[in-house]
Amino acid sequence: MVRPDGQLSHDLLPGEKGPQDACGVFGVWAPGEDVAKLAYYGLYALQHRGQESAGIATSDGERIAVYKDMGLVSQVFDEATLNTLTGHLAVGHCRYSTTGGSHWANAQPTLGATPHGTVALAHNGNLTNSAELFERLMDKSGFPSEGEMAQGNTTDTALVTALLAEHPHGSLEEAAMQLLPQLVGSFCLAFMDEHALYAARDPQGIRPLVLGRLDRGWVVASETAALDIVGASLVREIEPGEFVAIDEHGLRSQRFAETRRAACVFEYVYLARPDTTINGRSVYESRVEMGRRLAREHRVEADLVMPTPESGTPAAIGYAEESGIPFGNGLVKNAYVGRTFIQPSDTIRQLGIRLKLNPLKSVVAGKRLVVIDDSIVRGNTQRALVRMLREAGAAEIHVRISSPPIKWPCFYGIDFASRAELIANGLGVEEIRASLGADSLGYISEDGMIDATAQERHELCTACFSGTYPTRLPDADKLGKNVFEARKPVDTSPRRSGGGPAVPRRPEHATAVSIDTHPSAADGVRHPAELSCISDEDPGFHETSTGCDPGPDSDLEELLLPEDRRPAQPADQPETAKDA
């Protein structure tokens, strides 16, 4: 049974995506410290990067234990659970589904027995050559007969774990150095065996990964904010193409590939916490500067600058500073809209987005508003907000966006869906303005956005704006969330009625999964597949997902009314391009 959290339901439109953001990884090696609780608080700081499931693995030098479940970090773990996770090193993960659906079998960290010990692995990112790696594994070893892939895990994380397991090398470190150069796409890995913590980052450094120092150990994390919350000092970033190992002998680093930096510019725009620093640049300062540059590029006479909470706030501050127009809050956000068993009545359903955002009529009535948001993806949310502000009495609504028009899908960890769903694909700025119902619309230029990050243009990935991808992409049928589901072998054994491996259901209460350290460790796995199973179909599964993060406004999309979802194209608009 799912544990309720006592919060008001956001689940107003069945089948819509929930309020997930991205994936966060955390690793700690610290003898004498309570590593499970350090991992817990580290994941708490990274909760914005993944809200579907959470898990922590720990090792005491002889045994690895994993505890994971669906839900937020605070829902998955309690004091009693954390007290059972003992040891001197840990890795943790909070997930929004990348490859593979959102169900318990795909929660991380993954666990596997290998010829060179046990591995627990957490992954942030999205591999673009998963299908190729899967076929290579099948050609060499066949579909795994044991481990998480055999038991229904359909993630690229489980694939990496299986590939590490089939390497004949004498250590996990040697196996990783052989495998890492073969991975293409975005990946930040935090993984461990019984004795050591490991971390690796893709050669482009698409997603952030940092190294921190504790008094008695080391920490790796997706963002510097997670270091702050556990009292670790920032040492440096894990470099693109770098593999780091930490054990009783200290820290050692190796290069598995040359750096070809192409960091995701959207981390600065939306994904990362504002109190995070990426490559020496404050995310908050970047967003404020984007607002300043937006004001220079798209000035307008108005009475009030207001953000779309919360992601638009820093840019709105910058716009107000540069323009001289007063800053104010015209919308109040209910931060406690979450999942519950209480189903809304038809009357409540009709409130739609007002369950999450409500206009301050005394602030916006009769005012000429500049409304700042970080991006426009489908346009549905902005259309609903404009309508709400009109109903509250706004005299004029001028929408300003602190990123350029999003025209291309992301294959490195952000779910912008297909090109056909992107409002800026095939529509000009004036047509988008008309679709939103705003009085004017202005996007920051790509140059203005990049300059605000204080990064070199050639060291950033701007693919969602420019269509130029930093790595090779396979054919469309080898991309997307279903990549493994479409390639599962048919299981003819009598113990299952369907084809392919079964998908374990999340148990009544999350179960710790452990492997003892011995040569035949695989035989000692207490795997969740021993519990009851369900089909691969998942009502929360997002069919068109291409990445790790559903993008801006995902927590508002579920609350939109039918009138907010009307087609954006004018009647005479030609059909938009097919998916890239």
Side-chain angles (χ1 to χ4, degrees):
M1 111 183 199
V2 179
R3 294 190 293 271
D5 60 341
Q7 298 173 344
L8 183 64
S9 174
H10 71 270
D11 215 359
L12 302 182
L13 296 176
E16 290 291 326
K17 295 178 293 183
Q20 302 93 9
D21 278 327
C23 297
V25 299
F26 187 89
V28 55
W29 185 91
E33 298 284 357
D34 192 337
V35 293
K37 289 184 178 177
L38 288 174
Y40 171 82
Y41 284 110
L43 293 180
Y44 212 93
L46 299 172
Q47 184 71 88
H48 63 290
R49 298 190 71 90
Q51 300 171 29
E52 287 183 356
S53 63
I56 295 173
T58 60
S59 174
D60 58 7
E62 296 182 353
R63 182 182 178 88
I64 289 179
V66 179
Y67 193 100
K68 54 188 177 181
D69 202 353
M70 303 299 290
L72 304 176
V73 175
S74 60
Q75 294 170 315
V76 172
F77 297 100
D78 55 26
E79 189 86 22
T81 303
L82 292 171
N83 287 339
T84 66
L85 297 172
T86 60
H88 66 284
L89 73 157
V91 295
H93 188 267
C94 51
R95 182 177 191 250
Y96 174 72
S97 46
T98 52
T99 305
S102 176
H103 47 68
W104 186 82
N106 287 344
Q108 298 183 35
T110 56
L111 189 68
T114 76
H116 29 71
T118 307
V119 59
L121 190 146
H123 171 212
N124 173 34
N126 198 43
L127 299 182
T128 57
N129 68 332
S130 292
E132 177 187 330
L133 293 170
F134 183 82
E135 290 164 2
R136 192 182 307 172
L137 177 67
M138 291 287 289
D139 290 342
K140 184 175 181 179
S141 308
F143 193 85
S145 59
E146 53 194 23
E148 296 208 9
M149 288 193 74
Q151 305 297 342
N153 191 316
T154 55
T155 66
D156 50 1
T157 311
L159 174 63
V160 172
T161 306
L163 290 168
L164 288 171
E166 64 95 25
H167 268 285
H169 300 284
S171 70
L172 183 59
E173 193 167 341
E174 293 176 15
M177 285 299 293
Q178 288 290 318
L179 176 62
L180 290 170
Q182 302 174 40
L183 308 182
V184 180
S186 65
F187 58 90
C188 287
L189 305 177
F191 57 109
M192 58 185 269
D193 56 20
E194 289 82 358
H195 307 288
L197 173 67
Y198 306 100
R201 191 179 181 198
D202 66 79
Q204 289 74 33
I206 295 173
R207 300 279 156 239
L209 189 65
V210 293
L211 175 68
R213 193 75 165 97
L214 293 166
D215 288 342
R216 294 191 286 181
W218 298 87
V219 173
V220 295
S222 292
E223 296 186 27
T224 60
L227 303 183
D228 298 336
I229 201 171
V230 299
S233 58
L234 173 65
V235 176
R236 61 176 176 84
E237 285 198 341
I238 304 292
E239 289 296 317
E242 182 182 13
F243 171 74
V244 169
I246 302 168
D247 59 18
E248 61 184 356
H249 303 296
L251 183 147
R252 55 191 177 276
S253 170
Q254 302 180 66
R255 285 277 177 180
F256 64 87
E258 291 299 317
T259 297
R260 303 186 298 276
R261 188 178 287 273
C264 175
V265 72
F266 215 72
E267 292 279 356
Y268 294 94
V269 173
Y270 165 78
L271 295 181
R273 278 176 51 147
D275 54 341
T276 280
T277 298
I278 301 177
N279 200 30
R281 175 63 167 171
S282 162
V283 170
Y284 178 82
E285 286 300 325
S286 295
R287 292 175 186 171
V288 172
E289 182 60 22
M290 288 174 195
R292 295 190 187 107
R293 292 175 182 269
L294 188 57
R296 294 174 207 151
E297 295 178 8
H298 297 283
R299 190 177 294 272
V300 66
E301 293 296 324
D303 304 310
L304 185 74
V305 176
M306 57 167 283
T308 299
E310 303 287 340
S311 56
T313 300
I317 291 171
Y319 193 103
E321 289 177 355
E322 184 68 24
S323 66
I325 303 171
F327 172 90
N329 287 311
L331 292 164
V332 174
K333 184 174 183 179
N334 179 6
Y336 297 97
V337 172
R339 296 181 185 273
T340 184
F341 297 116
I342 302 173
Q343 295 300 315
S345 66
D346 290 340
T347 301
I348 295 296
R349 284 179 187 273
Q350 293 171 10
L351 294 176
I353 202 170
R354 292 179 186 272
L355 288 170
K356 191 83 172 188
L357 292 172
N358 201 35
L360 283 165
K361 295 182 181 180
S362 62
V363 173
V364 305
K367 299 286 179 61
R368 298 170 297 172
L369 306 177
V370 180
V371 182
I372 308 294
D373 209 344
D374 54 79
S375 57
I376 299 178
V377 181
R378 297 169 181 85
N380 297 331
T381 299
Q382 286 80 7
R383 190 178 301 116
L385 293 176
V386 169
R387 177 172 52 81
M388 283 173 47
L389 292 170
R390 293 275 191 216
E391 293 172 355
E396 297 176 9
I397 301 173
H398 303 278
V399 177
R400 297 294 181 265
I401 306 298
S402 60
S403 64
I406 297 169
K407 298 182 178 181
W408 299 86
C410 175
F411 302 102
Y412 305 116
I414 310 173
D415 179 10
F416 287 146
S418 65
R419 287 196 71 197
E421 292 180 273
L422 299 174
I423 193 172
N425 178 44
L427 290 183
V429 173
E430 178 58 24
E431 292 168 309
I432 297 172
R433 179 208 64 75
S435 175
L436 301 183
D439 293 284
S440 72
L441 171 64
Y443 291 89
I444 194 174
S445 65
E446 189 172 319
D447 287 341
M449 173 190 65
I450 290 173
D451 289 346
T453 68
Q455 307 298 305
E456 296 293 333
R457 173 183 283 272
H458 68 274
E459 293 186 344
L460 290 173
C461 174
T462 61
C464 54
F465 308 116
S466 65
T468 302
Y469 295 91
T471 70
R472 62 181 174 87
L473 296 177
D475 295 336
D477 66 337
K478 295 184 178 181
L479 286 168
K481 205 168 191 174
N482 295 346
V483 64
F484 293 154
E485 277 86 349
R487 289 168 167 78
K488 288 185 299 188
V490 175
D491 187 349
T492 58
S493 64
R495 59 192 175 90
R496 298 193 189 116
S497 58
V503 178
R505 183 187 295 273
R506 185 188 57 79
E508 183 87 6
H509 301 289
T511 302
V513 184
S514 300
I515 297 183
D516 291 317
T517 306
H518 53 76
S520 58
D523 298 331
V525 179
R526 289 177 54 219
H527 205 283
E530 297 170 2
L531 301 161
S532 59
C533 296
I534 57 174
S535 71
D536 294 337
E537 295 179 1
D538 181 355
F541 188 81
H542 181 46
E543 295 290 347
T544 60
S545 176
T546 58
C548 181
D549 185 295
D553 305 325
S554 63
D555 59 337
L556 302 178
E557 283 278 340
E558 303 91 357
L559 307 176
L560 298 176
L561 301 176
E563 54 263 38
D564 302 320
R565 298 174 180 274
R566 67 180 184 272
Q569 288 90 342
D572 58 349
Q573 179 68 27
E575 185 179 357
T576 54
K578 300 295 182 182
D579 290 1

